[in-house]
Each structure stands twice: as structure tokens, then as C-alpha cells.
Amino acid sequence: MNPPDLFTPIRIGALELPNRIVMAPLTRNRALAGNVPGPLTVTYYRQRASAGLIITEASPVCAAGHGYPRTPGIHSPEQLAGWRAVTDAVHAEGGRIFLQLWHVGRISHPSLQPDGAAPVAPSALKPAGQVWTGSGLQDYVTPRALNRDELPGIVAAYRQAALNAKEAGFDGVEVHGANGYLLDQFLRSSTNRRDDDYGGPVENRARLLLEVVQAVIEVFGAGRVGVRLSPENRFNDISDDNPQATFEYVVRALSPLGLAYLHVLEGDMTGQSQPAVDYAKLKAAFAGPYMANNGYDKARATAALAAGHIDLIAFGRAFISNPDLPARLAADAPLNEANPKTFYSGEEKGYIDYPALGS
Ligand code: 8OZ
């Protein structure tokens, strides 16, 4: 048998994908008032339905999970209705779409929180840097450490969000355990200084993520749940004393669950950390499909698939600017260049106006 390439179909959990080319989760800040996905968002995802799988932009599971303006939530009836139009459009084009479940934790600001409260986190440690509040940049604040007895409520918010995603027609969900947001803040040693059974050794730091994954599995079945991790990414002022040990533990705990996939943002988006994680070891610790992301192009992805280093590849920027990315990669056609100025603003500009081949 030939080694797999980008166009070799693959079964992941409960889904059959026609190709290995996944649309990575991408925050685009185009939601309408009330953090509701609108008609532009329907068009945007419809245009990209030829992906083997679409993973949506991160979608907060509850009001306190928001940290950026105009990000679409999955906790109000209006948001569900908006997402229903998205899933209907993608399915009408023959595509598959997972919703990424998100809680930003400390990466927020009182002006973005219900009742102007402080954002919540495992520990009261203020992130370095600034937050875009919609009325300019402001310094992050010191978050409020969650009480032990509030943690079941966090798990319950993810469970309810998964129920909402199911009602909105999603084929599954991805738990966002990456990039310095709440679940990652629990996982990594720099942000978790708790002295209860959710802090300290990795067995404790991983507890909230594993409880959330279990709750979401109870809603969708494991074959419709993916998990995203970013062992080395320092985005959002986060790090770990021993990322290899931390994330091997997490991956070994996830491995027997029968998840659709493990999604790993490899390396550091911010370019600060030297590579310290052996991703082949992480892949080897996981029994299911391994999805890689971060800086791959067609040549590198094809080589990694052929070598058995990865099973799926998630493209971000290339999918922003190439709605028909699989067709372009298949034809070795030139790719449209993505314009970073319209990544997080611009309404339809830089969102739904990138041309497909031959259009
Ligand atoms: C870029 C800008 C805002 C949010 C992530 C959800 O890094 C994000 C994000 C990325 O996972």
C-alpha cells in the first residue's frame, strides 16, 4: 500500500474524512452583537467546506469565558441559531465541522466580563501584556483564583456547551486545551500554583482538562471529540517547567478514551522558546489519530504523513486566504497570500472575498 498523502481518506473516531487537510481553528472577530455568528460567518465556513474537517474558531462556553470582542459564543439561544445556519451550510456542501470549546480564563478583562468582575484563573497571577477590549488596549489584570467548589461549575459549562453544539448541528467538538487559556492555565506549571488537588503534580494539574473531556464525551461520544494542546507555545505568557513530562502524562491519560484525534500545536508561535519537546514521543503515547499544526506547508506535511509522523494536518493562514485549499494543493496551484491586517477585523474584507480557483 502507498503511504498516505494529503488526499488519502481517513477514519477519525466516528467520522470518515475524504482528505487529511483540516481547517485549523481561527479567531476572526466577525460575530454580531451578542456574540452571535452572522451571515458572513455562514458564507466563510461554507466556502471552506472542502476541508477534510473544519474546526471552528474558538467559541466561549459561558459568558465569563470571553476575552476578545466579537467572538461567537455557544451559550445563548441566538448563538445556537447562528451556528445552526453555519452547520447547515457546511453540511449542504458535503463538509464536516467541529466546534472548538473555549474558556479564556485570565486572558480577559473586567470590561469583557459579566458585571465587570475580574477574570478567573487557577491562581491569582496576572499575565504580562495587554488585552484588546474593543475600546483600545489595556493591561491585563490580576485574575481571581477559582475556588475548589467552583470547578464542577466549569465542567458543567463545558457539558452544557457540548449539548448546545449538538443541538446546533455540529459533527463534534474540540476541547481547546492550548494557547494559554483556562484549561492550559491549569495544565502548565507557570500559571497553576494551587495547593489543592487541581494543582501541584501533573496528575492534579491535568484533572480539570480530563474532567472536561469526560463530560464532553458523555454528550457526543468519544469518536466525536478532539483535544488541542500546545506544549511549548508561550502565547499568552505561559510556560511549563517540564513540557515533555507534563504533556506525555496528559496524552497518555487521553489515549485510552477513543478520541477522534489529538491536535498538537507544535513549537512556539511567539518564537521565544527553544524546541524542548519530542513530538514523535507524544504521538507514540497516543493511540488515535495525531493532527499537527504550525508552520507546515504542502511539502512538509506530505513528508510527515509519508513518514508516519502525523495523520492529519491543520492549516490556518492558508485556509484564511484559500477557501478551496484542498483543490489548490491537489493541483499544485498558487496560493493566495493572507493579509494579516484583516485577520481580526474588516467584516467581509479578508474574510469572504478571497477568490477560489477559476473564479
Ligand atoms: C489569536 C487571537 C485571538 C485568539 C488561540 C483563540 O490562540 C486563540 C486566538 C488566537 O487559540
Side-chain angles (χ1 to χ4, degrees), residues 256-269:
L257 303 181
L259 295 170
Y261 61 85
L262 172 70
H263 182 180
V264 180
L265 189 152
E266 298 176 345
D268 175 16
M269 277 160 58

Side-chain angles (χ1 to χ4, degrees), residues 38-54:
L40 294 180
T41 300
V42 174
T43 300
Y44 167 74
Y45 285 113
R46 179 198 285 121
Q47 290 173 337
R48 288 158 180 78
S50 65
L53 177 68
I54 293 172

Side-chain angles (χ1 to χ4, degrees), residues 165-248:
K166 203 171 183 188
E167 196 181 324
F170 284 99
D171 299 297
V173 289
E174 176 174 286
V175 174
H176 193 347
N179 297 356
Y181 299 109
L182 183 68
L183 298 175
D184 200 22
Q185 290 159 27
F186 271 83
L187 284 178
R188 288 202 254 180
S189 58
S190 78
T191 42
N192 184 339
R193 300 286 166 77
R194 299 179 72 89
D195 56 14
D196 61 12
D197 54 343
Y198 287 81
V202 62
E203 293 79 358
N204 288 350
R205 285 183 279 126
R207 196 178 307 282
L208 186 64
L209 172 78
L210 296 175
E211 288 180 353
V212 163
V213 170
Q214 194 55 49
V216 166
I217 285 175
E218 283 161 22
V219 173
F220 264 105
R224 293 178 180 278
V225 175
V227 175
R228 191 176 209 217
L229 302 172
S230 60
E232 290 179 277
N233 196 5
R234 297 185 69 119
F235 182 55
N236 289 322
D237 189 29
I238 195 165
S239 63
D240 192 85
D241 288 342
N242 190 343
Q244 188 79 40
T246 295
F247 286 89
E248 269 191 50

